[in-house]
Amino acid sequence: MKTSISRHTPAFLTCAAFFINLITFSISSSNAQEKTEAPPWAVLQPAPDPRPLPHTKPLIFPGDLSEKMIAGIDKFLLRQIAQAANDRPNNWKRDLTSPEAYLKSIADKREELSAMLGLTDPLATGRIAYIGDASDQPAEEFTLYEVSWPVLDDMQGTGLLLVPQGKIRGDIIAIPEADQLPEDLVSAKKPTDAYAQQLARSGFRVLIPTLINRDNNQWKMSNREWAHRPSFELGRTLAGYETQKVMAGVSILKQTSGDEKRSLGVIGWGEGGRLALYAAALDPRIDAAAVTGYFSSRQFLWEEPADRNVFGLLKSFGDAEIASLVAPRTLIIEAGKYPEYGFRTTAWGELEVKQDGYTALKGKPGRLLVPDKDEVKTEVARAREFTAALKPQAPTLTLVDSQVPVSPETLTALIQSLDADAELAAASKPLELKSRAHASQRHDEQLAEILRHNQRLLQLAYETRIEFMKDLKTDTLENFEKSVEPYRKIFREDVIGSFELELLPDNARSRKFQVGPKTISYEVEMDVFPDVTAYGILTLPKDMKLDGSEQRPVVVCQHGLEGRPQHTVGEEGYRAYKSFATHLAERGFITFAPQNPYVLFDRFRTLQFKSQSIGRTLFSIAVPQHQQITDWLSTLPFVDEKRIGFYGISYGGKSAMRIPPLVKNYALSICSADFGEWVWKNAATDKRSLRYSYANKGEYEIFEWNLGSTFNYAEMAALICPRPFMVERGHFDGVQPDDRVAQEYAKVRFLYQAQLGIGDRQELEFIKGPHAIHEQGTYDFLHKHLNWPAPKESD
């Protein structure tokens, strides 16, 4: 097993890298240890026969059950994505009786798209700033300026402004592709590529914003993914910020036009086309939009680069639905040349999906989709169908078929929609632009500004969450349990995401797996949803009666990143896991070690993006899996259904914060080696925090939509309360520093002890140890709260 640790984090390892190192050390050193001393783990042997557990069917699948589970989840999610498209019409209630009625009927969808993009912060007011003349050779037909304009209170847009010398027919915002400079739209190798210059010489004032590019940075990911990661955790998106820059540009052009009736349009290619579509859909001040190099069904959103990820987009929107938000205004779609880009793609353009996880690059595999013309025509036809019956007439939606990006036909259609008498000027020779000399610096300043804005949001998020939780009542335990339910609903539906599906009959299958001195274990598989299974290892104490004459508590023992149930029960991974599933069974507990769906590296990480495209997450699968597991455990005659506890380490600790709040079968939860200031860990990009932060690491799936404004770990713990809750924390665990853990836990202790008077149900154990199970305080906690006597020392 290989692991790659950033050279920028020599003192502290990331959660995943530290955890994998511990497992690797255990595997490589176990043989040497066996030669000199008895192993500290339980000595387990393969079971002599595969007979199933009573009341279950035989488990006969010969392959890797974990891999089978991941493959099944993949099939399930692809069907759910297709189903979301089929269900989408039910989410719309268009009133086509008049333009006014139509706009009113789509107002909620415009708000929904705005929220998905994270357009939360109000646009700032202010004036355009003229930085200077951008050209060494002023053109006769127009003047070229470098400019900036206010966007948010601590963010501005920068770029170029072209002002015609004569009559101004209208205003246009020309949005580049992400890997184009604003200068490229004025002075390119091919004169036809410099279409902003054509528009200016045709009599239109043109504003060109700077976008964040896709260059790979020092963290071995694209600049766009680097900016998007913390934004997403804080309820924003990079595309949302750039859409706001366009909308603020609209305000500036309107403010400086001197003519309220002057028309305004937007046009863009590639990423610029995407932003032009979003801006026109959300801003009714835009009279016409031309979208080039970007328009398709979006059904494969999960294949696109990380910065294209919009949580829940496909539940309500394909590009045709977004196009319908532009109506009754003019929209021009150009089906022709699309930009090509791939990150971690093969020579054939396919996504590079690694099963061993080893790659020099840290970002999400992704590519810009290049649809064929039939797909574009189909999507345009869908968009036309949505508004074909709009009275008094259908809106203008033009499809241009072109072999070149931003064709003369598209430009002509755009300017004539703004001014019927406008004529497109011919292409002209490039200009020498002195602004190119510092265009890179301008870009870097824009990127730094977005990162600073996110860090400010991160600082404010603490108070934002207090405001969010203000309706939680703590005067009595009864009022608390009532008032926490609306928050649980938000967590289930808006944060984790829920498939509103009935669980299948469990159809439990099992086979005897291993036998130890005091234990016997079974591999168990059961059905959850079509193609979705749950799998794990059930370990029973040998001295236990299976006839129902006694009932014992169960501890569900959850592995970490890239873990397997086998890691928790035996020698492999001992250094981190301490065979805790077997050791707890030796203490008299029943244990079940499930396979959670964070295994097989890129294969599981791409499942996260498939899930997020329809407003779900990996835990949208894990929660029903655990519901099915605990429901099944509850049917076993020797299990006490009221005494089922959850104990997870590392990524299993993440599970401990997300699964028990939604699976009420769990009587308690223990979070080991993960608890802390989770939002900070995901969104911090300042230099001192980066050795702990996921923002620059390889776990590209880890980011969850808008946790900053909703649920950090203390708020998740409130959803577990009043059930017992414990944190196990090693002082030398490099996941987070002690003070961050203690600060977040202080809010948990305050809720349990000070507000609700149930302080005996919570505990934080600091241990002098690493990222590993400690086998002390947590075992005492389990014995106490699952009401099972601890073994005597002589045992």
Side-chain angles (χ1 to χ4, degrees):
M1 183 180 296
K2 298 179 180 178
T3 183
S4 177
I5 303 170
S6 170
R7 61 184 175 86
H8 300 282
T9 60
F12 289 84
L13 305 173
T14 67
C15 172
F18 197 100
F19 193 72
I20 292 171
N21 273 1
L22 287 171
I23 294 175
T24 305
F25 179 89
S26 171
I27 296 170
S28 63
S29 64
S30 61
N31 291 335
Q33 188 169 359
E34 286 177 0
K35 294 177 182 179
T36 58
E37 60 182 31
W41 49 79
V43 179
L44 304 177
Q45 300 296 330
D49 64 80
R51 281 182 297 178
L53 187 73
H55 310 297
T56 66
K57 297 177 182 179
L59 175 58
I60 58 176
F61 183 76
D64 185 334
L65 288 165
S66 300
E67 186 172 3
K68 176 189 175 186
M69 187 189 82
I70 294 297
I73 293 172
D74 188 58
K75 290 180 182 179
F76 171 80
L77 289 175
L78 290 175
R79 281 202 312 275
Q80 291 297 312
I81 291 171
Q83 187 62 45
N86 293 334
D87 293 342
R88 209 177 287 154
N90 300 328
N91 298 333
W92 290 74
K93 304 295 180 185
R94 297 181 180 88
D95 186 341
L96 302 173
T97 57
S98 71
E100 294 77 16
Y102 179 75
L103 292 175
K104 185 176 180 180
S105 71
I106 64 171
D108 62 329
K109 289 301 172 189
R110 189 170 281 161
E111 291 177 2
E112 183 179 352
L113 179 61
S114 179
M116 285 179 175
L117 293 172
L119 274 63
T120 303
D121 310 301
L123 294 177
T125 58
R127 297 178 178 274
I128 191 168
Y130 292 86
I131 300 170
D133 193 331
S135 176
D136 283 326
Q137 300 172 321
E140 293 181 1
E141 297 97 337
F142 62 88
T143 304
L144 181 63
Y145 301 99
E146 272 195 277
V147 295
S148 66
W149 61 96
V151 179
L152 306 178
D153 60 0
D154 59 352
M155 187 185 297
Q156 62 180 2
T158 62
L160 303 180
L161 178 66
L162 288 69
V163 182
Q165 296 290 1
K167 176 185 176 181
I168 298 178
R169 296 181 174 275
D171 293 321
I172 295 175
I173 300 178
I175 314 170
E177 157 56 10
D179 289 329
Q180 289 179 318
L181 297 172
E183 284 79 2
D184 292 336
L185 274 58
V186 179
S187 178
K189 293 180 180 179
K190 292 182 180 179
T192 52
D193 291 343
Y195 67 88
Q197 186 185 149
Q198 279 184 275
L199 293 172
R201 289 189 292 103
S202 303
F204 290 85
R205 192 168 53 150
V206 183
L207 180 65
I208 313 173
T210 300
L211 301 190
I212 303 305
N213 65 35
R214 298 192 184 92
D215 290 353
N216 288 354
N217 60 19
Q218 61 180 318
W219 312 117
K220 299 181 181 180
M221 69 183 75
S222 75
N223 283 323
R224 292 190 68 80
E225 181 167 353
W226 167 237
H228 180 77
R229 287 180 174 195
S231 305
F232 193 82
E233 190 79 9
L234 296 165
R236 277 76 172 174
T237 64
L238 176 59
Y241 286 141
E242 292 180 330
T243 300
Q244 288 181 301
K245 291 186 178 186
V246 174
M247 295 169 70
V250 171
S251 298
I252 286 297
L253 292 176
K254 290 289 186 183
Q255 177 184 315
T256 57
S257 70
D259 181 1
E260 293 182 358
K261 296 182 180 180
R262 184 188 294 177
S263 56
L264 186 146
V266 294
I267 184 172
W269 182 59
E271 197 65 31
R274 180 192 185 204
L275 298 176
L277 180 62
Y278 288 166
L282 297 175
D283 194 335
R285 299 173 299 172
I286 295 172
D287 300 296
V291 176
T292 75
Y294 180 89
F295 201 78
S296 72
S297 69
R298 291 303 130 207
Q299 285 301 98
F300 295 94
L301 177 64
W302 56 271
E303 287 193 22
E304 299 190 64
D307 64 278
R308 290 267 177 105
N309 189 25
V310 177
F311 188 73
L313 183 73
L314 299 185
K315 289 197 298 184
S316 292
F317 301 103
D319 284 353
E321 283 81 6
I322 298 176
S324 75
L325 297 179
V326 181
R329 294 163 291 142
T330 296
L331 178 62
I332 303 150
I333 304 297
E334 181 182 272
K337 181 69 174 175
Y338 281 64
E340 296 182 7
Y341 166 81
F343 183 85
R344 292 184 56 202
T345 54
T346 68
W348 302 276
E350 299 299 318
L351 299 186
E352 176 202 59
V353 178
K354 296 283 190 177
Q355 283 211 206
D356 64 0
Y358 185 75
T359 176
L361 300 174
K362 291 184 178 178
K364 173 191 178 293
R367 62 184 174 187
L368 298 183
L369 301 180
V370 180
D372 59 38
K373 291 186 179 180
D374 287 341
E375 180 182 342
V376 179
K377 289 177 181 178
T378 299
E379 194 70 5
V380 169
R382 286 206 317 120
R384 285 174 173 158
E385 183 180 354
F386 293 145
T387 57
L390 182 61
K391 299 176 181 179
Q393 65 181 36
T396 302
L397 202 171
T398 303
L399 176 62
V400 176
D401 190 348
S402 174
Q403 299 300 317
V404 296
V406 196
S407 65
E409 293 83 357
T410 297
L411 292 172
T412 299
L414 176 64
I415 64 175
Q416 290 185 350
S417 69
L418 300 176
D419 184 335
D421 297 327
E423 295 184 5
L424 183 65
S428 181
K429 64 180 182 180
L431 295 174
E432 293 296 327
L433 301 182
K434 62 184 180 183
S435 61
R436 279 190 183 274
H438 54 267
S440 177
Q441 178 183 350
R442 179 206 304 143
H443 167 274
D444 292 348
E445 289 173 350
Q446 288 279 279
L447 176 57
E449 201 170 61
I450 290 173
L451 295 174
R452 284 196 301 270
H453 178 75
N454 283 336
Q455 295 315 287
R456 181 182 172 211
L457 291 176
L458 179 57
Q459 291 177 332
L460 297 173
Y462 179 89
E463 296 295 333
T464 302
R465 291 190 298 273
I466 290 176
E467 177 66 17
F468 171 69
M469 298 294 290
K470 66 181 181 181
D471 293 330
L472 187 65
K473 299 184 184 302
T474 57
D475 54 332
T476 67
L477 195 56
E478 181 182 8
N479 285 340
F480 170 81
E481 293 189 88
K482 289 179 181 178
S483 64
V484 80
E485 287 306 312
Y487 290 102
R488 196 186 315 279
K489 184 174 186 290
I490 293 170
F491 188 66
R492 176 186 295 108
E493 297 178 0
D494 299 339
V495 176
I496 298 299
S498 175
F499 292 107
E500 300 301 327
L501 299 171
E502 293 291 331
L503 294 173
L504 295 174
D506 59 63
N507 188 30
R509 292 131 359 235
S510 71
R511 61 188 171 211
K512 198 174 292 184
F513 179 55
Q514 289 179 327
V515 178
K518 298 182 180 181
T519 64
I520 184 168
S521 64
Y522 295 82
E523 285 190 299
V524 182
E525 184 186 43
M526 62 193 76
D527 298 330
V528 180
F529 296 141
D531 287 318
V532 178
T533 57
Y535 158 63
I537 296 174
L538 176 72
T539 303
L540 305 175
K542 279 185 174 179
D543 65 354
M544 189 181 69
K545 298 175 183 178
L546 302 183
D547 59 3
S549 58
E550 67 166 334
Q551 290 186 325
R552 295 198 186 185
V554 180
V555 181
V556 172
C557 300
Q558 191 61 65
H559 62 77
L561 179 65
E562 294 301 333
R564 302 291 186 107
Q566 290 79 1
H567 295 159
T568 71
V569 300
E571 172 184 344
E572 187 176 4
Y574 180 83
R575 185 174 171 85
Y577 291 116
K578 303 293 192 299
S579 299
F580 76 118
T582 297
H583 286 178
L584 284 168
E586 292 175 335
R587 299 171 75 90
F589 294 102
I590 300 165
T591 67
F592 190 90
Q595 176 68 68
N596 261 17
Y598 34 79
V599 66
L600 300 181
F601 298 93
D602 286 317
R603 286 185 61 184
F604 93 78
R605 291 193 160 103
T606 55
L607 296 181
Q608 176 80 316
F609 286 85
K610 290 173 183 176
S611 301
Q612 289 183 340
S613 73
I614 52 174
R616 273 80 170 198
T617 65
L618 279 174
F619 285 102
S620 304
I621 299 291
V623 166
Q625 285 177 320
H626 279 255
Q627 187 68 57
Q628 189 76 305
I629 288 167
T630 54
D631 285 350
W632 174 75
L633 288 169
S634 298
T635 67
L636 300 179
F638 46 84
V639 167
D640 184 344
E641 63 180 6
K642 295 182 179 180
R643 292 187 290 166
I644 302 177
F646 187 101
Y647 184 1
I649 176 174
S650 194
Y651 225 119
K654 293 173 183 58
S655 301
M657 302 308 302
R658 292 160 177 80
I659 294 174
L662 302 178
V663 178
K664 291 189 176 181
N665 291 349
Y666 283 122
L668 61 80
S669 182
I670 300 175
C671 175
S672 175
D674 190 72
F675 189 91
E677 223 285 36
W678 180 252
V679 173
W680 167 81
K681 182 169 178 62
N682 283 271
T685 55
D686 61 284
K687 186 176 180 180
R688 291 187 177 184
S689 299
L690 281 177
R691 64 180 183 176
Y692 300 107
S693 176
Y694 278 125
N696 64 339
K697 305 298 190 304
E699 289 85 348
Y700 57 83
E701 89 298 341
I702 206 80
F703 307 94
E704 297 161 284
W705 173 247
N706 199 25
L707 283 193
S709 301
T710 55
F711 295 93
N712 207 342
Y713 273 10
E715 288 75 31
M716 292 183 198
L719 303 181
I720 297 169
C721 184
R723 291 168 288 172
F725 175 69
M726 181 177 180
V727 168
E728 181 179 43
R729 158 72 188 179
H731 284 303
F732 300 105
D733 188 334
V735 173
Q736 293 194 38
D738 277 353
D739 58 336
R740 291 279 180 177
V741 176
Q743 177 181 326
E744 188 69 12
Y745 192 81
K747 292 185 281 185
V748 179
R749 180 181 174 87
F750 181 71
L751 173 65
Y752 273 80
Q753 181 162 311
Q755 293 181 296
L756 297 177
I758 53 174
D760 61 324
R761 302 186 195 179
Q762 58 76 37
E763 189 172 337
L764 167 60
E765 181 190 28
F766 278 107
I767 58 177
K768 188 177 181 181
H771 191 79
I773 295 289
H774 189 49
E775 297 194 298
Q776 290 188 19
T778 53
Y779 286 11
D780 294 340
F781 190 83
L782 289 167
H783 282 291
K784 174 183 177 181
H785 292 287
L786 293 182
N787 192 24
W788 185 255
K792 298 177 181 179
E793 290 189 11
S794 59
D795 296 339

